[in-house]
Amino acid sequence: LLKYIPTKEEVQSLNDIESDPDAVASLNRADDFFFQAVSIYHYEERIKAVNFRKKFEERIKNITPKIRALIKASTEVVKSEKLKNILTLILGFGNYFNFGKRGNATGFKLETLPKICDTKSTDNQLTLLVYLVETVELIFPEMDTFYGGAPPRSHGSQGGPGGAQV
């Protein structure tokens, strides 16, 4: 029915013939339907409300698993001590490299994490990411498996290494 809602021009032309009983009687079925429809108070809004109610349950059913996956992933990220330790290590590297320039930072924006792949050594042979991985493997072996504790990605997750440029 949403496809057949009369336009403003159609409503105006139907309102113009309302005062002529002969014109109203001579309307074909489609025009008579429109004529009857425009006489219903807030016809368009009512049809939209019925359509919304009809699709609401289906939309809730489709989005619920995605919301649950997002909540579970968010909870895992917040609870992950290993991830906190890795981020603390990254902060420490940043503070060491920027010593004297920007002071001792207490945090960083997550949007800056992809720069770890772009930041290279003076000889362009090593990225900060590779250095971070090597440091974790050699000095902090307990953090070496921080990614192993992460829950598997579900159908609700998007992005990832291919899309996030990390």
Side-chain angles (χ1 to χ4, degrees):
L1 288 177
L2 281 173
K3 294 178 184 177
Y4 304 111
I5 292 177
T7 64
K8 290 182 180 184
E9 294 81 22
E10 291 169 330
V11 170
Q12 184 59 42
S13 65
L14 289 170
N15 286 337
D16 291 342
I17 66 165
E18 186 175 16
S19 59
D20 184 3
D22 291 331
V24 172
S26 67
L27 291 175
N28 62 33
R29 285 185 80 181
D31 290 336
D32 187 45
F33 172 79
F34 278 144
F35 184 74
Q36 296 298 324
V38 297
S39 67
I40 298 172
Y41 184 70
H42 291 293
Y43 171 75
E44 183 175 354
E45 290 81 6
R46 288 178 178 205
I47 293 297
K48 286 179 180 179
V50 168
N51 185 53
F52 178 81
R53 288 180 66 184
K54 180 180 176 189
K55 292 185 176 184
F56 183 77
E57 288 296 323
E58 179 183 344
R59 289 178 180 165
I60 292 295
K61 195 182 295 184
N62 287 338
I63 200 167
T64 299
K66 294 176 183 177
I67 292 172
R68 286 191 177 129
L70 179 62
I71 290 169
K72 183 176 181 182
S74 300
T75 303
E76 292 295 324
V77 166
V78 169
K79 288 182 178 180
S80 174
E81 286 300 318
K82 291 181 180 181
L83 180 60
K84 287 177 189 175
N85 292 338
I86 290 289
L87 293 175
T88 301
L89 186 62
I90 293 169
L91 177 64
F93 280 163
N95 284 336
Y96 177 77
F97 294 137
N98 293 317
F99 183 74
K101 294 178 185 173
R102 297 188 187 118
N104 219 12
T106 57
F108 60 89
K109 294 181 181 178
L110 291 179
E111 300 93 58
T112 61
L113 280 178
K115 292 182 181 179
I116 292 174
C117 298
D118 301 331
T119 306
K120 295 190 176 188
S121 61
T122 54
D123 62 359
N124 282 334
Q125 298 297 313
L126 192 67
T127 65
L128 182 55
L129 178 62
V130 172
Y131 184 72
L132 174 69
V133 170
E134 289 175 357
T135 303
V136 167
E137 287 174 346
L138 292 173
I139 301 172
F140 304 103
E142 69 279 0
M143 289 194 297
D144 189 25
T145 59
F146 89 96
Y147 53 85
R153 290 178 51 184
S154 69
H155 65 279
S157 61
Q158 296 179 0
Q165 301 175 7
V166 176

PDB file of all heavy atoms in Angstrom, residues 92-99 101 119 128 131:
ATOM      1  N   GLY A  92      54.252   3.143  25.994  1.00  0.00           N
ATOM      2  CA  GLY A  92      55.632   3.313  26.450  1.00  0.00           C
ATOM      3  C   GLY A  92      56.583   3.565  25.290  1.00  0.00           C
ATOM      4  O   GLY A  92      57.464   4.438  25.368  1.00  0.00           O
ATOM      5  N   PHE A  93      56.398   2.815  24.189  1.00  0.00           N
ATOM      6  CA  PHE A  93      57.232   3.053  23.003  1.00  0.00           C
ATOM      7  C   PHE A  93      57.031   4.473  22.494  1.00  0.00           C
ATOM      8  O   PHE A  93      57.991   5.175  22.167  1.00  0.00           O
ATOM      9  CB  PHE A  93      56.888   2.065  21.891  1.00  0.00           C
ATOM     10  CG  PHE A  93      57.496   0.704  22.044  1.00  0.00           C
ATOM     11  CD1 PHE A  93      56.988  -0.358  21.320  1.00  0.00           C
ATOM     12  CD2 PHE A  93      58.554   0.460  22.892  1.00  0.00           C
ATOM     13  CE1 PHE A  93      57.530  -1.629  21.433  1.00  0.00           C
ATOM     14  CE2 PHE A  93      59.110  -0.798  23.020  1.00  0.00           C
ATOM     15  CZ  PHE A  93      58.593  -1.843  22.288  1.00  0.00           C
ATOM     16  N   GLY A  94      55.779   4.884  22.412  1.00  0.00           N
ATOM     17  CA  GLY A  94      55.495   6.237  21.930  1.00  0.00           C
ATOM     18  C   GLY A  94      56.112   7.301  22.809  1.00  0.00           C
ATOM     19  O   GLY A  94      56.687   8.282  22.321  1.00  0.00           O
ATOM     20  N   ASN A  95      56.011   7.121  24.104  1.00  0.00           N
ATOM     21  CA  ASN A  95      56.618   8.085  25.037  1.00  0.00           C
ATOM     22  C   ASN A  95      58.135   8.096  24.907  1.00  0.00           C
ATOM     23  O   ASN A  95      58.766   9.145  24.977  1.00  0.00           O
ATOM     24  CB  ASN A  95      56.204   7.786  26.480  1.00  0.00           C
ATOM     25  CG  ASN A  95      54.790   8.234  26.771  1.00  0.00           C
ATOM     26  OD1 ASN A  95      54.256   9.118  26.107  1.00  0.00           O
ATOM     27  ND2 ASN A  95      54.167   7.618  27.752  1.00  0.00           N
ATOM     28  N   TYR A  96      58.733   6.936  24.698  1.00  0.00           N
ATOM     29  CA  TYR A  96      60.184   6.862  24.543  1.00  0.00           C
ATOM     30  C   TYR A  96      60.619   7.591  23.267  1.00  0.00           C
ATOM     31  O   TYR A  96      61.569   8.377  23.277  1.00  0.00           O
ATOM     32  CB  TYR A  96      60.643   5.409  24.508  1.00  0.00           C
ATOM     33  CG  TYR A  96      62.119   5.257  24.285  1.00  0.00           C
ATOM     34  CD1 TYR A  96      63.024   5.474  25.322  1.00  0.00           C
ATOM     35  CD2 TYR A  96      62.614   4.916  23.034  1.00  0.00           C
ATOM     36  CE1 TYR A  96      64.387   5.348  25.127  1.00  0.00           C
ATOM     37  CE2 TYR A  96      63.975   4.786  22.823  1.00  0.00           C
ATOM     38  CZ  TYR A  96      64.858   5.008  23.867  1.00  0.00           C
ATOM     39  OH  TYR A  96      66.203   4.887  23.658  1.00  0.00           O
ATOM     40  N   PHE A  97      59.914   7.315  22.145  1.00  0.00           N
ATOM     41  CA  PHE A  97      60.296   7.930  20.871  1.00  0.00           C
ATOM     42  C   PHE A  97      60.032   9.431  20.857  1.00  0.00           C
ATOM     43  O   PHE A  97      60.723  10.178  20.165  1.00  0.00           O
ATOM     44  CB  PHE A  97      59.557   7.273  19.709  1.00  0.00           C
ATOM     45  CG  PHE A  97      59.950   5.843  19.487  1.00  0.00           C
ATOM     46  CD1 PHE A  97      58.996   4.878  19.223  1.00  0.00           C
ATOM     47  CD2 PHE A  97      61.276   5.440  19.554  1.00  0.00           C
ATOM     48  CE1 PHE A  97      59.357   3.558  19.019  1.00  0.00           C
ATOM     49  CE2 PHE A  97      61.649   4.111  19.352  1.00  0.00           C
ATOM     50  CZ  PHE A  97      60.679   3.171  19.080  1.00  0.00           C
ATOM     51  N   ASN A  98      59.038   9.886  21.596  1.00  0.00           N
ATOM     52  CA  ASN A  98      58.685  11.307  21.606  1.00  0.00           C
ATOM     53  C   ASN A  98      59.226  12.038  22.822  1.00  0.00           C
ATOM     54  O   ASN A  98      58.811  13.164  23.092  1.00  0.00           O
ATOM     55  CB  ASN A  98      57.158  11.469  21.548  1.00  0.00           C
ATOM     56  CG  ASN A  98      56.578  11.001  20.243  1.00  0.00           C
ATOM     57  OD1 ASN A  98      57.132  11.276  19.184  1.00  0.00           O
ATOM     58  ND2 ASN A  98      55.471  10.277  20.298  1.00  0.00           N
ATOM     59  N   PHE A  99      60.130  11.428  23.552  1.00  0.00           N
ATOM     60  CA  PHE A  99      60.670  12.037  24.772  1.00  0.00           C
ATOM     61  C   PHE A  99      61.245  13.413  24.456  1.00  0.00           C
ATOM     62  O   PHE A  99      62.001  13.595  23.518  1.00  0.00           O
ATOM     63  CB  PHE A  99      61.757  11.149  25.390  1.00  0.00           C
ATOM     64  CG  PHE A  99      62.288  11.695  26.686  1.00  0.00           C
ATOM     65  CD1 PHE A  99      61.520  11.629  27.836  1.00  0.00           C
ATOM     66  CD2 PHE A  99      63.522  12.315  26.747  1.00  0.00           C
ATOM     67  CE1 PHE A  99      61.988  12.129  29.036  1.00  0.00           C
ATOM     68  CE2 PHE A  99      64.002  12.826  27.939  1.00  0.00           C
ATOM     69  CZ  PHE A  99      63.237  12.740  29.089  1.00  0.00           C
ATOM     70  N   LYS A 101      59.789  15.923  23.201  1.00  0.00           N
ATOM     71  CA  LYS A 101      59.012  16.667  22.200  1.00  0.00           C
ATOM     72  C   LYS A 101      57.599  16.977  22.700  1.00  0.00           C
ATOM     73  O   LYS A 101      57.128  18.089  22.611  1.00  0.00           O
ATOM     74  CB  LYS A 101      58.911  15.869  20.899  1.00  0.00           C
ATOM     75  CG  LYS A 101      60.236  15.680  20.197  1.00  0.00           C
ATOM     76  CD  LYS A 101      60.056  14.856  18.951  1.00  0.00           C
ATOM     77  CE  LYS A 101      61.420  14.570  18.320  1.00  0.00           C
ATOM     78  NZ  LYS A 101      61.335  13.650  17.220  1.00  0.00           N
ATOM     79  N   THR A 119      55.214   3.500  10.743  1.00  0.00           N
ATOM     80  CA  THR A 119      56.394   4.066  11.402  1.00  0.00           C
ATOM     81  C   THR A 119      57.572   3.123  11.203  1.00  0.00           C
ATOM     82  O   THR A 119      57.537   1.976  11.639  1.00  0.00           O
ATOM     83  CB  THR A 119      56.120   4.276  12.904  1.00  0.00           C
ATOM     84  OG1 THR A 119      54.939   5.055  13.046  1.00  0.00           O
ATOM     85  CG2 THR A 119      57.283   4.963  13.584  1.00  0.00           C
ATOM     86  N   LEU A 128      57.564  -0.260  13.262  1.00  0.00           N
ATOM     87  CA  LEU A 128      57.306  -0.284  14.705  1.00  0.00           C
ATOM     88  C   LEU A 128      56.515  -1.535  15.081  1.00  0.00           C
ATOM     89  O   LEU A 128      56.729  -2.114  16.142  1.00  0.00           O
ATOM     90  CB  LEU A 128      56.569   0.982  15.135  1.00  0.00           C
ATOM     91  CG  LEU A 128      56.263   1.132  16.617  1.00  0.00           C
ATOM     92  CD1 LEU A 128      57.523   1.010  17.465  1.00  0.00           C
ATOM     93  CD2 LEU A 128      55.564   2.458  16.885  1.00  0.00           C
ATOM     94  N   TYR A 131      58.959  -4.387  15.308  1.00  0.00           N
ATOM     95  CA  TYR A 131      59.755  -4.194  16.518  1.00  0.00           C
ATOM     96  C   TYR A 131      58.947  -4.532  17.766  1.00  0.00           C
ATOM     97  O   TYR A 131      59.442  -5.166  18.689  1.00  0.00           O
ATOM     98  CB  TYR A 131      60.278  -2.755  16.583  1.00  0.00           C
ATOM     99  CG  TYR A 131      61.178  -2.511  17.752  1.00  0.00           C
ATOM    100  CD1 TYR A 131      62.473  -3.028  17.806  1.00  0.00           C
ATOM    101  CD2 TYR A 131      60.729  -1.762  18.848  1.00  0.00           C
ATOM    102  CE1 TYR A 131      63.292  -2.813  18.899  1.00  0.00           C
ATOM    103  CE2 TYR A 131      61.545  -1.548  19.942  1.00  0.00           C
ATOM    104  CZ  TYR A 131      62.829  -2.071  19.962  1.00  0.00           C
ATOM    105  OH  TYR A 131      63.635  -1.864  21.046  1.00  0.00           O
TER     106      TYR A 131
END
